[in-house]
Amino acid sequence: MTVSRTICLGFLAVIAIGTFLLMLPSSTSSGNWNDFIVALFTATSAVCVTGHIVVDTGIYFSTTGQVILLALVQIGGLGYMTATTFLLLLLGRRFGLRDKIALQQALDRPGMQGVAQVLRSIVALTLIFELTGAFLLLPVFVPDHGWSKGLWLSIFHSITAWNNAGFSPFKDNLIGYQSSVLLNIIIPALIIFGGIGYEVIFELFLWLRDRLSRKPEKIVFSLNFKVATSTTVILLVISTIAIFFTELGNPATLGAMDLKTKILAAWFQAVTPRTVGFNTVDIGKMTTASLFIMIVLMFIGGSPGGTAGGIKTTTLRVLTSCTRAILQGKEEATLYERQIPVSLILKAVGVSVGSLAAVMIMTTLIAITDTHVEFIQILFEVMSGFGTVGLSTGITAGLSTFAKLVLIASMYLGRVGVLLLIGAILGDPNPSTIRYPEENLLVG
């Protein structure tokens, strides 16, 4: 079995187990067996760290069900190969070549050296951020809900935020905390660091360590670090400003808020579309312009190596770099004085075209069956699923069973990746030594 098939089937196996566990009477508040579609949709959403829901998480699922949900989110956030391999290492299993190759592909690393150490570092990094986030969120939830429930809410939101899942036990998600400065700092921080990629965080840690110890050697940041961080900052600034002004005159969202809350809400909604389904305003009441901006952000997603979906920030920069090279009459694309390999450009084009085609097909399928839903809402829903975001305009529960199955497929495809799934279906490519002659054609 190929590595890509192992990863894809592994995710399906975890989803199947999660579906069964969420169907058990102990997982529901009513004590009855759960509906299969609801359990399947929720398990897929959790394992694919999406946050899409068809029922109210805090009311529909019991404490046991919510714990199972968190476990699925944690496994999905770490990734199937990362989670299972780490457990095998704890059990003392030898780390073989096939395991290293699988992890290399799952973590999108260029080489296999130090993979086991990287794996341990990722798990440690995850625990540090989640525990820190839970501790910092205590002042937000404990005053309103007491220590017992406040602690649970802090842990729940910290784990789902770091893993970019967006599940919340609250009926209105986080709308009740739209004016909380602390929540609007902690949750977005967890989301951003969770979605920016572990390699970026490792490099940042090494830089801070050397700066504090005043070592004479200077760390040279990698191209991946420069591209991921700069693109993230640019997108956050532009999207915050764009959402602020497109919603400023909307009385159903930012229009009725004071200036401080307006800024916090615009900032929060600028962070969440690229990766996670938390919201502090009613998404269904946002303007069409804002929804389209969020659709674009969901398509871009986070950065490689993180828990976010989308085509990734690095893919966007590679494509824009190619466009700039054409406009400047250059024959090679560059970023930060580094030439981008042709193989990387082809991969970026493949990911983008494949992702766009998948979104178009799934949007069309739902538009055919659910004619009562507006197109912008269908596109938003599909893009939210494919980008593993989880935001919704409020139509998810009312969609047909077929539409829900399409959304389940979109979440799964968005998590494993278009190229990885195609590779799993077609198998390993057969290398060819044939080289065909070049010929020009009209483009553009």
Side-chain angles (χ1 to χ4, degrees):
M1 183 182 294
T2 63
V3 173
S4 56
R5 287 176 183 170
T6 301
I7 296 173
C8 291
L9 291 175
F11 271 105
L12 287 177
V14 177
I15 290 171
I17 294 171
T19 301
F20 172 75
L21 292 175
L22 290 177
M23 284 184 66
L24 297 174
S26 58
S27 296
T28 62
S29 298
S30 64
N32 300 321
W33 282 89
N34 195 357
D35 178 75
F36 172 72
I37 296 297
V38 171
L40 176 62
F41 193 99
T42 308
T44 305
S45 182
V47 175
C48 298
V49 289
T50 305
H52 239 141
I53 57 172
V54 289
V55 293
D56 191 324
T57 304
I59 297 176
Y60 190 88
F61 291 104
S62 63
T63 303
T64 302
Q66 292 178 35
V67 170
I68 293 172
L69 198 65
L70 272 191
L72 295 175
V73 166
Q74 191 72 83
I75 294 173
L78 287 172
Y80 162 73
M81 286 305 305
T82 304
T84 53
T85 307
F86 181 74
L87 290 175
L88 291 174
L89 283 175
L90 289 179
L91 294 174
R93 179 177 177 238
R94 190 171 179 178
F95 202 65
L97 178 62
R98 182 176 178 81
D99 298 318
K100 291 182 179 180
I101 296 174
L103 267 178
Q104 174 203 357
Q105 189 164 347
L107 299 176
D108 199 18
R109 285 179 59 84
M112 292 185 293
Q113 295 181 347
V115 173
Q117 183 59 41
V118 169
L119 176 63
R120 296 185 182 94
S121 299
I122 291 173
V123 175
L125 187 73
T126 298
L127 292 175
I128 290 171
F129 269 91
E130 288 178 350
L131 290 173
T132 303
F135 175 77
L136 294 176
L137 285 172
L138 286 175
V140 177
F141 296 117
V142 170
D144 295 336
H145 304 279
W147 271 103
S148 180
K149 188 175 181 180
L151 177 61
W152 168 245
L153 290 172
S154 299
I155 294 172
F156 192 98
H157 285 94
S158 180
I159 292 176
T160 53
W162 167 258
N163 289 287
N164 287 200
F167 286 100
S168 177
F170 297 120
K171 185 178 180 62
D172 58 354
N173 208 277
L174 295 175
I175 293 179
Y177 294 89
Q178 59 186 201
S179 60
S180 170
V181 176
L182 187 59
L183 181 134
N184 280 275
I185 292 175
I186 302 305
I187 294 292
L190 288 169
I191 293 170
I192 292 169
F193 279 106
I196 204 169
Y198 66 91
E199 289 193 351
V200 172
I201 300 176
F202 289 161
E203 285 191 53
L204 183 61
F205 169 76
L206 293 175
W207 178 81
L208 288 173
R209 185 193 64 183
D210 290 349
R211 293 282 292 183
L212 293 175
S213 60
R214 297 181 179 180
K215 288 186 177 181
E217 302 89 0
K218 292 183 178 180
I219 289 182
V220 178
F221 289 119
S222 66
L223 181 62
N224 178 71
F225 180 94
K226 295 176 182 178
V227 172
T229 53
S230 62
T231 308
T232 297
V233 172
I234 292 170
L235 288 173
L236 287 174
V237 172
I238 293 176
S239 54
T240 300
I241 295 172
I243 291 175
F244 181 84
F245 284 106
T246 53
E247 290 297 317
L248 191 59
N250 186 355
T253 55
L254 269 62
M257 301 175 183
D258 57 78
L259 182 59
K260 183 197 79 172
T261 309
K262 280 184 173 72
I263 296 173
L264 291 176
W267 154 253
F268 197 90
Q269 264 56 237
V271 174
T272 56
R274 289 186 41 241
T275 178
V276 63
F278 286 127
N279 60 285
T280 56
V281 300
D282 190 338
I283 303 297
K285 295 180 181 178
M286 296 183 76
T287 63
T288 303
S290 295
L291 292 179
F292 186 72
I293 291 170
M294 296 173 81
I295 287 172
V296 174
L297 293 173
M298 289 189 288
F299 186 69
I300 296 171
S303 301
T307 53
I311 63 171
K312 302 297 188 291
T313 53
T314 48
T315 302
L316 174 67
R317 287 295 295 275
V318 168
L319 296 177
T320 55
S321 177
C322 292
T323 304
R324 186 185 64 210
I326 290 296
L327 294 176
Q328 294 176 344
K330 296 180 179 179
E331 294 185 356
E332 68 279 332
T334 59
L335 280 170
Y336 295 98
E337 300 180 346
R338 294 292 185 272
Q339 185 174 331
I340 304 173
V342 175
S343 59
L344 205 61
I345 295 174
L346 293 176
K347 183 178 180 180
V349 172
V351 168
S352 302
V353 173
S355 299
L356 189 60
V359 170
M360 290 172 61
I361 292 171
M362 290 183 286
T363 302
T364 303
L365 290 174
I366 296 180
I368 292 173
T369 58
D370 294 59
T371 55
H372 62 285
V373 184
E374 293 183 15
F375 174 77
I376 188 69
Q377 292 179 309
I378 296 175
L379 179 59
F380 189 94
E381 207 79 8
V382 171
M383 193 65 79
S384 180
F386 180 80
T388 66
V389 178
L391 290 173
S392 175
T393 56
I395 66 170
T396 316
L399 293 175
S400 63
T401 301
F402 176 78
K404 291 175 183 175
L405 292 174
V406 172
L407 287 179
I408 288 172
S410 74
M411 291 186 286
Y412 176 73
L413 181 59
R415 184 65 182 98
V416 300
V418 175
L419 297 185
L420 188 68
L421 183 61
I422 293 175
I425 296 172
L426 300 180
D428 292 331
N430 296 319
S432 175
T433 57
I434 299 175
R435 293 294 181 268
Y436 296 99
E438 292 184 358
E439 183 174 347
N440 290 326
L441 74 160
L442 300 178
V443 175

